[in-house]
Amino acid sequence: MEPPVRLASTGTIIHGVSVGEVLGVSTLAEARLIAGESGLGRIVQRLNVMEVPDILAWVKPHELLLTTGYPLRNTPQSLGRLVADLDERGLSALAIKLGRYVDELPDEMVEQADRLGFPLILLPNDVGFDDILNQVLTDILNRQAAVLARAEEAHRALVQVVLAGGGLNEVAAEVSQLLDVSVAAVDGSGRVLATAGPPEHVAVLRESISREGPSRTPASGRARSFASVPVLAGGHHHGRIVAYSPSGAIRDSDVGILERAATVAALVVTRQEAVNAVESKYRADFLRDVLTGRAGTAERVTARARAFGWDLARPVTVLVAELDPDGDERSAQDRLVACWTAAMRRHDPRGAVAGFSHEVVAVVDASIDATRVAKDAASAFADVPPATFSTGSSRPSPGAETLPEAYSQALKAARVGRQLHGPGAVAHFDQLGVYRLLSLVNDTDELHAFVRETLGPLAADADAENADLRRTLQVLLETNLNVAETARRLHFHYNTLRYRIGKLERLLGNFTDDPHLRLNLTLALHVLRMRGI
């Protein structure tokens, strides 16, 4: 049985031999197990000799305690409690010489040792403690040296994989070969990135991972079928390395090698993140050039897009996801890109997606329901509040040459949709109604001049009463000048509303009798509602 590994500071013994192996050394050939047979798998990492009655203050976990019973010769009644105290402190076993100071062990002590699985060993009288100490400690140190050498060899092999340009697939294959197990590299969301091992064993491993396990490794000292270690890099959790052995032969020394593999995997992940960051910048720069019409001919755009795995030659729809104000923009932007990338991977693997300064642009197949893609991304983004984003979608674009126009449509839809429906809105350009027409006016100064000319003093917010009067005007226009309905909606008395109508007409003109003036007033109110676009 390969001894387990226990985490310890450099310079300490971290490996050991089992109690059963200790009984196999030549100096203990005539030793006899009195009780606690179920604990023969306990690990011995050091030895100690009981010379004082208050030995509990001096013992350490994983020790084999040797005694002649001399400290207990005057208090044999304390033997009954000794096993429980030693077991509680994590000792591995107690070996005792009988006949000189203690004639026999109490039945209570033997029964307790069997119940706790704490080995009691009867030592032969003709064997000195120094012989036992020398031989067992030599075995422990030799075992530690062998296990550490194996781990170091595995580490060198894994590092060589990375230096040769290997990725997670090669790391998993090397670990599988070193430990004779099936291995999977899993990212933080539980997605399997790489596997190695017999297909039938990998299938079992995948099924276990899909059930959200195993996320932890059992305590040291026991072999197991599954083991899992985290992959950490730059203070971030990037996933885990999971191993499976159908024979249940994964030992703690194997877990030590898995931990080294996780360190190497962290190097791979960090390297890939750096590569991805550069590629992401190139993709974003290229897509920005395409959407602004600076990428060249349609043929050149199509060819370069194909190098990124994008298909821009087919009919597509452009989606713009823009962060709503008042969020932590930097961290939210990274999450926004990740959520949209994942959503695009599920809905349209050949679609383009890239993050800009405070928005994400996606180009999807025109036959795909753009609203579903947006809701999918929003669902994942909502897992980490409080940031939100608004989404706009364009009309179908027949090819790369019309993508700039489609991008402009999607961007306007996102911003108008937020103004009309609040944060988190999803709007299509064709569903904006009159706002679509107003958004197509590029000269916003002209729009604002129209508002000032049409609404006069009501266009400004210098007076708090202006907003109240605009609200009254808006409801009047919405109800087609139905005074009773307007009074009901605004909770005004009928006479109060008649007074307000008179005041509005003195400010704006006789709009109750002039349908053209009413149209101008309606458009001016719409432009005000789109303020900031």
Side-chain angles (χ1 to χ4, degrees):
M1 169 177 168
E2 187 74 9
V5 178
R6 181 174 60 84
L7 294 180
S9 60
T10 303
T12 62
I13 294 176
I14 60 175
H15 300 282
V17 295
S18 69
V19 175
E21 289 175 310
V22 169
L23 289 174
V25 301
S26 60
T27 54
L28 295 177
E30 297 181 11
R32 183 166 59 88
L33 183 68
I34 301 174
E37 183 177 3
S38 62
L40 289 178
R42 291 185 180 221
I43 300 304
V44 178
Q45 293 178 340
R46 55 182 67 85
L47 287 84
N48 199 352
V49 178
M50 183 176 182
E51 296 179 334
V52 294
D54 59 341
I55 189 62
L56 296 177
W58 309 100
V59 297
K60 297 178 180 178
H62 301 291
E63 279 186 345
L64 169 61
L65 185 62
L66 307 176
T67 183
T68 60
Y70 177 79
L72 304 169
R73 67 191 186 285
N74 297 323
T75 56
Q77 65 276 9
S78 63
L79 285 170
R81 178 62 192 165
L82 183 60
V83 167
D85 289 338
L86 295 177
D87 180 71
E88 184 178 344
R89 284 161 176 77
L91 264 74
S92 302
L94 173 66
I96 188 169
K97 286 186 178 184
L98 295 178
R100 186 171 182 181
Y101 301 108
V102 177
D103 293 329
E104 61 181 5
L105 300 179
D107 292 340
E108 175 189 356
M109 184 179 184
V110 175
E111 292 172 359
Q112 193 171 58
D114 277 328
R115 185 170 64 254
L116 296 174
F118 184 86
L120 289 179
I121 302 169
L122 177 62
L123 296 174
N125 288 323
D126 59 348
V127 177
F129 283 175
D130 57 341
D131 294 330
I132 299 173
L133 290 169
N134 287 335
Q135 193 167 17
V136 175
L137 283 176
T138 298
D139 284 354
I140 290 174
L141 292 174
N142 287 340
R143 182 63 59 82
Q144 169 158 310
V147 173
L148 290 177
R150 177 174 178 249
E152 187 62 30
E153 180 183 354
H155 184 71
R156 283 197 299 269
L158 290 167
V159 170
Q160 188 59 40
V161 168
V162 178
L163 292 178
L168 291 178
N169 283 314
E170 289 74 20
V171 170
E174 188 68 26
V175 174
S176 177
Q177 183 177 356
L178 286 168
L179 302 181
D180 192 23
V181 296
S182 296
V183 178
V186 186
D187 67 11
S189 63
R191 186 166 60 95
V192 176
L193 303 177
T195 60
E200 62 274 17
H201 298 167
V202 170
V204 174
L205 187 56
R206 284 181 177 274
E207 182 180 354
S208 175
I209 293 169
S210 67
R211 296 197 305 265
E212 294 298 324
S215 59
R216 293 186 301 176
T217 296
S220 64
R222 293 178 294 173
R224 69 219 66 157
S225 295
F226 290 96
S228 174
V229 295
V231 176
L232 303 173
H236 299 288
H237 188 283
H238 293 278
R240 51 200 171 107
I241 301 291
V242 187
Y244 167 65
S245 170
S247 61
I250 300 177
R251 296 149 299 196
D252 281 12
S253 57
D254 298 330
V255 175
I257 292 178
L258 285 176
E259 289 171 346
R260 297 197 177 214
T263 301
V264 173
L267 293 175
V268 174
V269 170
T270 303
R271 182 187 66 189
Q272 190 58 47
E273 285 185 343
V275 173
N276 290 343
V278 174
E279 290 182 349
S280 178
K281 182 180 184 305
Y282 278 121
R283 284 194 295 266
D285 289 345
F286 171 63
L287 188 57
R288 184 182 287 108
D289 288 343
V290 171
L291 298 177
T292 54
R294 299 196 303 266
T297 64
E299 292 76 13
R300 184 170 182 272
V301 168
T302 300
R304 286 196 61 190
R306 195 177 296 115
F308 290 119
W310 300 342
D311 183 0
L312 301 184
R314 56 185 174 165
V316 293
T317 300
V318 176
L319 296 171
V320 171
E322 192 175 48
L323 284 172
D324 295 321
D326 303 326
D328 182 354
E329 186 167 319
R330 176 157 189 171
S331 63
Q333 177 66 14
D334 292 339
R335 288 194 294 111
L336 186 66
V337 175
C339 291
W340 272 91
T341 301
M344 287 291 290
R345 189 184 299 119
R346 286 188 290 271
H347 292 274
D348 185 9
R350 294 187 302 155
V353 59
F356 297 163
S357 58
H358 63 287
E359 69 187 36
V360 173
V361 179
V363 183
V364 303
D365 191 317
S367 63
I368 293 176
D369 186 350
T371 302
R372 285 187 59 193
V373 180
K375 288 182 177 179
D376 191 359
S379 177
F381 192 74
D383 290 343
V384 189
T388 59
F389 64 88
S390 297
T391 306
S393 60
S394 71
R395 294 169 173 166
S397 171
E401 63 277 358
T402 57
L403 283 175
E405 181 183 355
Y407 170 63
S408 177
Q409 294 171 358
L411 188 60
K412 288 173 181 176
R415 295 180 177 178
V416 173
R418 180 191 295 116
Q419 292 289 330
L420 298 180
H421 309 296
V426 179
H428 191 285
F429 184 73
D430 283 342
Q431 296 172 347
L432 299 180
V434 67
Y435 297 101
R436 183 180 79 223
L437 299 177
L438 294 174
S439 69
L440 293 175
V441 179
N442 294 323
D443 190 348
T444 55
D445 290 339
E446 188 65 31
L447 283 176
H448 295 157
F450 171 75
V451 171
R452 291 191 298 270
E453 294 168 4
T454 305
L455 294 180
L458 295 187
D461 289 327
D463 189 340
E465 187 184 13
N466 288 347
D468 197 25
L469 287 173
R470 286 201 303 268
R471 173 62 178 158
T472 301
L473 176 62
Q474 180 179 330
V475 177
L476 274 170
L477 295 172
E478 289 175 355
T479 61
N480 198 25
L481 302 182
N482 188 321
V483 178
E485 176 62 17
T486 301
R488 186 188 66 79
R489 287 193 190 183
L490 296 176
H491 307 289
F492 286 162
H493 189 275
Y494 183 86
N495 291 335
T496 301
L497 184 58
R498 295 300 307 177
Y499 168 77
R500 284 184 167 236
I501 292 173
K503 187 172 185 178
L504 285 168
E505 289 200 314
R506 287 193 295 275
L507 291 171
L508 305 173
N510 189 18
F511 64 88
T512 57
D513 293 326
D514 188 344
H516 295 290
L517 178 55
R518 290 200 298 273
L519 175 60
N520 288 342
L521 291 172
T522 301
L523 290 175
L525 290 174
H526 283 326
V527 173
L528 271 185
R529 195 175 181 186
M530 291 172 58
R531 183 178 295 167
I533 299 175

